[in-house]
């Protein structure tokens, strides 16, 4: 007896009308239900079967979430792209850009005034060369000169003093120089120039004349008066006049840059397709979609992690370990397997290391290696058998309820393109190798792209 | 019955005449139960399906067109109501209890000797998913594509459930025969 006979017999007998007692209680139940239905305004109740409950059909959920995520990233990117020119064209009123350098400039000016002041206070002594000893003791200039020799005057004090001598410094200097020259000519006094510029005072044993060398003294004041403030300003990275990084400042920036290990973080969305190579499987390309995170460090290196969901559809007669095909239904010898068809979904978590071949260019090629963990989620496979004797086909639906774990290695290369300062596009191709099974059929070629947002 | 008489009853139902509704119910109760009983596991469930089907009929009687036969319209409603009832308590069929059914074989006479009630009893013992597909495909002549669409399963699953239903029926019949012979 074949199945058609069975079907025909059942169909024939079950289509016959049976005998069922129609009790009044049945009608009462219908009446009650009808009344209830009318009260609840269900006059348009469906005659056809109800639609499949949404909770049982959640295929829309993942695409909707991904679409929303992509929309969010796209709008963010667009906003940045739109704001970028505005930020560049904005007048530079940001205090951090400027204008510490202006302050520095003014501080230097104050210090120069101090220097000039010392000249000013020194000049009157030049007119009384022969009386230097007593002059040092009595005049205010002595104090200033002593400061040059013995102690370091503070710039603040120097700033206060100029009020004691209102005369023009330049005029006083010129007058002083002229009077010295006149004195030299008149008295023919030998002037011994001090080799040691720090003292500013020399003694001639023959003529016993003490001469202060103002030029040296002035110079000394710059050298010897080295308050800690002054040293600090000397290391300021920007020239206040040029508003450009000086050589020194560049060195400082480079030194700082060397200290910085992590360059930036990036988060992004990536999607792509993979297909097997060297395979005898009739496997359609699988689709990958997921999120990626990266840490870029030392300019050229980056560590990455990815969370992907991959969808495979296969139709095969080969029980390739890649597929984790459920075990065959028990069949007699008459039946031959035609094919197994299944759709799997897997969760994949990857860890990777990349190296950029170029640095600070808009398009950056890179190489990478990845370690991928894959979990195949439970799925259903269809087994199609053929009865060799009768030519009859049988179909079985078999559920694979367990999770399967694989580990893969991947090496690849790609290109990274800087779209905006904050947005990067990436295209990468990888060869994935399943080291657990070591079969050629398990090697896959993956091509995928992504958009990454830099933090 | 009868065209005119039935038309009169249906017209009465259209104006919510309770007498007409009761008449229609009584007239087609047996027919409705015959269909519902195949899909339901128990007689009680079958009654529920029939009651719900008639409620749908009375509420939607305006949508009935006279060019249709009332029986076929009612049949459709009963089957759909049975499918709804099946969906409400649907459990995915497990395949782990698959056994080697294909070795079982018996003569056609044995099946022919079964009464309708015996067949119904065997069908009622099938898991709901198998029973529904078996009824739809074998008795009500739906295609696998239609079954897949209506039940929200794949065509492969529909084929698979049908195949399992057949094998299970064979096994049930076999054990029934064994039991009979033992007695």
């Amino acid at each position: 007896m074949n199945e058609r006979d069975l079907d025909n017999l059942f169909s024939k007998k079950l289509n016959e009308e049976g005998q069922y007692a129609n009790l009044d209680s049945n009608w009462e139940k219908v009446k009650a239900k009808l009344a209830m239905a009318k009260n609840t305004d269900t006059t348009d109740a469906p005659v056809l079967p109800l639609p499949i409950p949404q909770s049982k059909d959640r295929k829309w959920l993942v695409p909707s979430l991904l679409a929303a995520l992509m929309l969010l990233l796209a709008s963010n990117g667009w906003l940045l792209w739109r704001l970028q020119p505005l930020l560049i064209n904005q007048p530079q009123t940001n205090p951090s850009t400027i204008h510490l350098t202006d302050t520095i400039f003014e501080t230097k000016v104050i210090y120069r005034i101090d220097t000039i002041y010392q000249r000013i206070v020194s000049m009157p002594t030049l007119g009384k060369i022969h009386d230097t000893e007593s002059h040092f003791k009595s005049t205010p200039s002595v104090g200033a000169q002593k400061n040059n020799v013995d102690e370091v005057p503070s710039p603040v004090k120097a700033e206060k003093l100029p009020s004691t001598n209102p005369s023009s410094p330049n005029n006083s200097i010129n007058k002083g120089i002229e009077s010295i020259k006149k004195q030299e000519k008149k008295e023919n006094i030998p002037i011994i120039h001090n080799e040691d510029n720090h003292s500013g005072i020399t003694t001639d044993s023959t003529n016993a004349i003490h001469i202060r060398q103002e030029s040296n003294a002035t110079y000394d004041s710059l050298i010897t008066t080295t308050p800690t403030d002054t040293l600090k300003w000397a290391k300021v990275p920007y020239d206040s006049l040029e508003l450009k990084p000086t050589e020194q400042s560049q060195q400082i920036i480079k030194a700082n840059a060397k200290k910085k290990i992590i360059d930036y973080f990036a988060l992004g969305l990536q999607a792509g397709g993979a297909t097997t190579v060297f395979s005898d499987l009739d496997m359609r390309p699988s689709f990958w979609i997921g999120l990626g995170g990266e840490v870029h460090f030392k300019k050229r290196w980056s560590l990455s992690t990815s969370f992907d969901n991959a969808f495979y559809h296969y139709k095969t007669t080969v029980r390739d370990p890649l597929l984790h095909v459920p075990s065959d239904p028990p069949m007699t010898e008459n039946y031959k397997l035609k094919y197994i068809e299944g759709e799997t979904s897997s969760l994949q978590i990857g860890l990777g290391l990349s190296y950029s071949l170029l640095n600070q260019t808009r398009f950056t090629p890179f190489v990478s290696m990845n370690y991928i963990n894959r979990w195949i989620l439970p799925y259903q496979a269809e087994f199609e058998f053929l009865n060799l004797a009768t030519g009859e086909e049988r179909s079985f639906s078999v559920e694979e309820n367990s999770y399967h774990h694989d580990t893969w290695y991947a090496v690849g290369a790609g290109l990274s393109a800087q779209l905006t300062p904050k947005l990067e596009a990436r295209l990468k191709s990888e060869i994935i190798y399943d080291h657990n099974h070591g079969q050629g059929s398990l090697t896959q070629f993956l091509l995928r792209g992504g958009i990454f947002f830099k933090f | 019955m009868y065209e005119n008489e039935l038309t009169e009853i249906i017209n009465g139902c259209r104006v919510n005449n309770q007498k007409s509704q009761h008449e229609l119910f009584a007239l087609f109760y047996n027919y409705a139960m015959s269909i519902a009983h195949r899909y339901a596991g128990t007689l009680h469930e079958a009654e529920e399906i029939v009651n719900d089907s008639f409620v749908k009929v009375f509420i939607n009687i305006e949508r009935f067109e006279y060019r249709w036969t009332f029986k076929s319209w009612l049949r459709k409603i009963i089957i759909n109501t049975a499918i709804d009832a099946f969906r409400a308590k649907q459990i995915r069929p497990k395949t782990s209890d698959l056994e080697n059914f294909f070795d079982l074989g018996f003569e056609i006479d044995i099946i022919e000797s079964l009464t309708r009630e015996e067949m119904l009893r065997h069908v009622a013992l099938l898991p709901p998913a198998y029973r529904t597909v078996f009824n739809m495909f074998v008795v009500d002549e739906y295609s696998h594509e239609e079954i897949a669409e209506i039940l929200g399963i794949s065509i492969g699953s529909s084929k698979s459930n049908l195949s399992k239903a057949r094998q299970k029926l064979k096994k049930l019949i076999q054990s029934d025969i064994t039991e009979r012979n033992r007695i």
Side-chain angles (χ1 to χ4, degrees):
Chain A
M1 186 191 73
N2 63 32
E3 287 181 345
R4 282 206 186 107
D5 296 331
L6 179 86
D7 289 356
N8 288 337
L9 287 170
F10 267 84
S11 174
K12 188 182 160 193
K13 290 211 173 174
L14 292 178
N15 264 320
E16 289 171 5
E17 212 166 297
Q19 292 302 315
Y20 298 92
N22 183 6
L23 305 172
D24 280 345
S25 59
N26 288 332
W27 171 242
E28 291 304 319
K29 282 179 192 169
V30 174
K31 259 170 67 179
K33 279 191 175 181
L34 192 59
M36 205 188 301
K38 282 182 176 170
N39 286 339
T40 51
D41 194 26
T42 55
T43 50
D44 199 23
V47 177
L48 295 172
L50 295 168
I52 297 163
Q54 286 300 307
S55 61
K56 288 179 183 168
D57 184 14
R58 294 198 185 92
K59 287 178 183 170
W60 54 268
L61 185 65
V62 172
S64 327
L65 283 174
L66 289 173
L69 190 63
M70 283 184 80
L71 196 64
L72 187 69
L73 285 171
S75 61
N76 204 355
W78 180 83
L79 189 68
L80 279 169
W81 174 68
R82 292 288 299 163
L83 285 178
Q84 198 66 28
L86 294 175
L87 290 171
I88 290 166
N89 296 332
Q90 210 174 30
Q92 295 192 347
T93 53
N94 187 343
S96 64
T97 336
I98 339 177
H99 292 295
L100 287 174
T101 52
D102 273 357
T103 314
I104 295 158
F105 176 72
E106 289 192 7
T107 309
K108 281 192 173 179
V109 169
I110 290 165
Y111 190 69
R112 281 173 190 167
I113 288 167
D114 175 288
T115 309
I116 292 163
Y117 157 73
Q118 287 181 333
R119 283 187 168 199
I120 294 163
V121 296
S122 304
M123 293 315 290
T125 64
L126 293 174
K128 296 179 179 180
I129 278 173
H130 300 292
D131 194 17
T132 46
E133 276 299 330
S134 60
H135 183 77
F136 280 8
K137 289 175 183 171
S138 60
T139 61
S141 64
V142 175
Q145 190 61 36
K146 273 190 173 178
N147 281 341
N148 285 340
V149 177
D150 301 323
E151 59 187 0
V152 178
S154 76
V156 178
K157 282 179 182 175
E159 196 178 4
K160 287 177 182 173
L161 287 171
S163 62
T164 57
N165 194 343
S167 60
S168 161
N170 288 335
N171 288 341
S172 303
I173 292 165
N174 292 336
K175 283 176 185 174
I177 293 166
E178 280 172 15
S179 67
I180 289 169
K181 284 177 181 172
K182 283 176 186 173
Q183 198 74 24
E184 283 173 1
K185 283 178 184 175
K186 277 181 185 176
E187 301 180 12
N188 200 21
I189 297 168
I191 297 173
I192 299 166
H193 292 278
N194 191 5
E195 292 298 321
D196 179 9
N197 286 334
H198 295 290
S199 74
I201 299 168
T202 57
T203 304
D204 185 317
S205 56
T206 51
N207 293 303
I209 293 171
H210 300 280
I211 299 169
R212 290 174 60 232
Q213 291 181 314
E214 275 308 311
S215 57
N216 285 338
T218 308
Y219 175 72
D220 279 12
S221 73
L222 280 173
I223 298 297
T224 56
T225 54
T226 52
T228 49
D229 285 356
T230 315
L231 290 173
K232 276 183 188 173
W233 294 129
K235 287 182 181 176
V236 169
Y238 286 93
D239 183 324
S240 59
L241 297 174
E242 294 291 330
L243 285 175
K244 284 179 185 172
T246 61
E247 195 178 334
Q248 184 191 9
S249 66
Q250 282 176 339
Q251 283 170 0
I252 292 166
I253 291 164
K254 281 179 186 172
N256 288 338
K258 279 179 185 173
K259 287 175 192 169
K260 194 177 168 186
I261 296 169
I262 293 173
D263 302 322
Y264 62 88
F265 296 90
L267 268 181
L269 185 73
Q270 46 194 8
T275 186
T276 51
V277 285
F278 317 123
S279 171
D280 58 349
L281 297 173
D282 174 18
M283 182 186 251
R284 294 169 210 175
S286 59
F287 177 64
W288 296 42
I289 189 157
L291 295 170
E294 294 176 345
V295 181
H296 290 253
F297 60 98
K298 295 275 187 185
K299 297 290 181 195
R300 287 171 183 254
W301 293 91
S302 74
L303 270 174
S304 65
T305 180
S306 61
F307 301 89
D308 294 299
N309 198 353
F311 305 94
Y312 292 80
H313 181 113
Y314 67 82
K315 191 172 178 182
T316 181
T317 54
V318 180
R319 280 155 186 77
D320 197 304
L322 172 73
L323 305 169
H324 294 287
V325 173
S327 53
D328 289 7
M331 301 294 286
T332 55
E333 288 176 354
N334 287 341
Y335 287 91
K336 185 197 169 194
L337 178 70
K338 269 184 81 182
Y339 60 84
I340 311 162
E341 191 169 12
E343 269 182 29
T344 69
S345 171
S346 62
L347 178 70
Q348 291 166 185
I349 299 176
L351 285 172
L353 182 68
S354 300
Y355 179 75
S356 300
L357 302 177
L358 295 173
N359 191 20
Q360 294 179 342
T361 54
R362 188 169 179 197
F363 295 97
T364 312
F366 62 89
V367 289
S368 68
M369 52 189 288
N370 285 289
Y371 174 71
I372 301 168
N373 275 284
R374 178 181 78 146
W375 288 268
I376 298 183
L377 307 179
Y379 74 103
Q380 202 167 27
E382 302 293 334
F383 283 73
E384 198 76 25
F385 287 93
L386 177 70
N387 189 323
L388 296 172
T390 62
E392 181 193 10
E393 288 183 10
R394 282 186 185 279
S395 174
F396 283 91
S397 176
V398 179
E399 282 181 1
E400 179 59 54
N401 289 319
S402 47
Y403 292 79
H404 292 280
H405 176 241
D406 291 320
T407 49
W408 293 347
Y409 290 120
V411 287
L415 191 69
S416 179
Q418 191 79 37
L419 301 177
T420 70
K422 285 281 183 191
L423 215 57
E424 230 173 56
R426 211 157 293 159
L427 188 69
K428 185 160 88 167
S429 64
E430 282 177 305
I431 291 175
I432 300 171
Y433 179 73
D434 183 345
H435 79 103
N436 288 333
H437 308 298
Q439 297 296 318
S441 63
L442 305 172
T443 308
Q444 294 178 87
F445 177 74
L446 169 69
L447 182 69
R448 67 170 159 182
I451 296 281
F452 283 78
F453 184 80
K454 294 159 74 173
F455 298 96
Chain B
M1 184 125 312
Y2 54 9
E3 286 291 324
N4 294 339
E5 201 181 332
L6 181 61
T7 308
E8 205 174 307
I9 293 170
I10 291 171
N11 284 341
C13 292
R14 283 182 192 272
V15 293
N16 285 326
N17 184 317
Q18 270 206 12
K19 194 181 165 221
S20 299
Q21 286 174 340
H22 191 184
E23 275 178 357
L24 194 71
F25 180 76
L27 204 56
F28 288 98
Y29 181 80
N30 217 42
Y31 175 72
M33 277 299 286
S34 301
I35 299 165
H37 198 184
R38 284 192 279 113
Y39 283 89
T42 64
L43 208 57
H44 176 73
E45 279 178 34
E47 283 174 358
E48 286 293 313
I49 291 169
V50 169
N51 291 349
D52 288 344
S53 302
F54 272 102
V55 170
K56 283 184 184 176
V57 166
F58 295 138
I59 289 170
N60 295 282
I61 194 79
E62 288 295 325
R63 290 161 68 175
F64 172 70
E65 295 179 23
Y66 287 105
R67 60 191 167 88
W68 303 337
T69 63
F70 182 77
K71 258 192 171 180
S72 59
W73 190 60
L74 178 64
R75 183 191 184 98
K76 192 93 178 167
I77 290 174
I78 293 164
I79 293 170
N80 290 342
T81 309
I83 291 167
D84 287 343
F86 159 72
R87 276 188 194 152
K89 51 185 176 185
Q90 188 181 15
I91 303 163
R92 268 190 165 275
K94 294 286 175 192
T95 53
S96 55
D97 59 346
L98 270 179
E99 290 170 38
N100 198 349
F101 300 126
F102 299 94
D103 288 338
L104 295 172
F106 36 74
E107 297 303 315
I108 193 164
D109 301 348
I110 295 168
I111 306 285
E112 276 182 331
S113 69
L114 293 173
T115 63
R116 182 179 184 276
E117 280 61 40
E118 281 172 328
M119 279 186 177
L120 268 177
R121 186 164 52 82
H122 293 317
V123 170
L125 289 172
L126 292 175
Y130 298 177
R131 185 170 63 234
T132 307
V133 173
F134 181 80
N135 270 310
M136 290 177 83
F137 185 85
V138 174
V139 189
D140 295 313
E141 295 177 351
Y142 283 84
S143 67
H144 280 298
E145 286 75 14
E146 288 171 316
I147 295 169
E149 193 182 342
I150 292 167
L151 296 182
I153 57 175
S154 68
I155 294 171
S157 295
S158 173
K159 287 180 183 175
S160 165
N161 285 354
L162 175 65
S163 177
K164 286 169 204 164
R166 284 173 181 148
Q167 301 310 320
K168 191 102 181 168
L169 276 176
K170 283 182 187 175
K171 196 181 178 186
L172 287 167
I173 294 165
Q174 181 80 5
S175 64
D176 208 27
I177 292 163
T178 314
E179 187 70 15
R180 252 193 246 170
N181 292 340
R182 201 162 54 85
I183 294 165

